[in-house]
Amino acid sequence: QVQLVESGGGLVQPGGSLRLSCAASGSFFSIYDMGWYRQAPGKQRELVARITSGGVTIYADSVKGRFTISRDNAKNTVYLQMNSLKPEDTAVYICRTLQYNNWGQGTQVTVSS
């Protein structure tokens, strides 16, 4: 069972930036495809970005050009750099191992003035 721990959330003003981190346990992180999801109150969980073991990335249309997913296999960590944040980005952000369906607990991101 892979354990995932997110960090880096917080309160930010519109137009600001945050970088989220997701640290994974175990020795096989480099072979995992990883995803960042988000869930806002009253809305369905949605995939924000994903990165394959080989570094190929895919983004939701709503975040293209603003968010960047990356990974550091030496640190067993996947990142989500979020720029030009909007109030509608407010949600709990959660990471997941795509092949094995392990989920973290999430980190709250609030975009508000």
Side-chain angles (χ1 to χ4, degrees):
Q1 182 81 0
V2 178
Q3 302 215 340
L4 302 172
V5 179
E6 300 94 337
S7 61
L11 173 64
V12 63
Q13 292 187 342
S17 298
L18 283 174
R19 188 176 82 152
L20 307 183
S21 300
C22 171
S25 64
S27 305
F28 301 101
F29 176 78
S30 63
I31 70 170
Y32 302 148
D33 295 345
M34 298 295 297
W36 279 102
Y37 292 72
R38 66 185 180 188
Q39 186 157 23
K43 294 188 177 181
Q44 286 192 333
R45 188 172 292 186
E46 63 171 341
L47 177 64
V48 174
R50 60 185 290 175
I51 184 167
T52 69
S53 59
V56 176
T57 58
I58 298 175
Y59 298 92
D61 287 344
S62 58
V63 306
K64 276 182 185 175
R66 300 189 298 124
F67 290 11
T68 302
I69 189 171
S70 62
R71 64 191 300 154
D72 185 338
N73 291 336
K75 296 182 178 180
N76 276 20
T77 300
V78 61
Y79 303 98
L80 187 67
Q81 177 67 44
M82 306 186 296
N83 299 328
S84 302
L85 283 161
K86 305 175 182 180
E88 51 264 42
D89 295 318
T90 295
V92 176
Y93 284 72
I94 312 156
C95 65
R96 176 189 177 209
T97 59
L98 299 182
Q99 295 103 321
Y100 302 104
N101 201 33
N102 304 113
W103 293 88
Q105 294 297 308
T107 185
Q108 176 71 45
V109 172
T110 302
V111 185
S112 174
S113 55

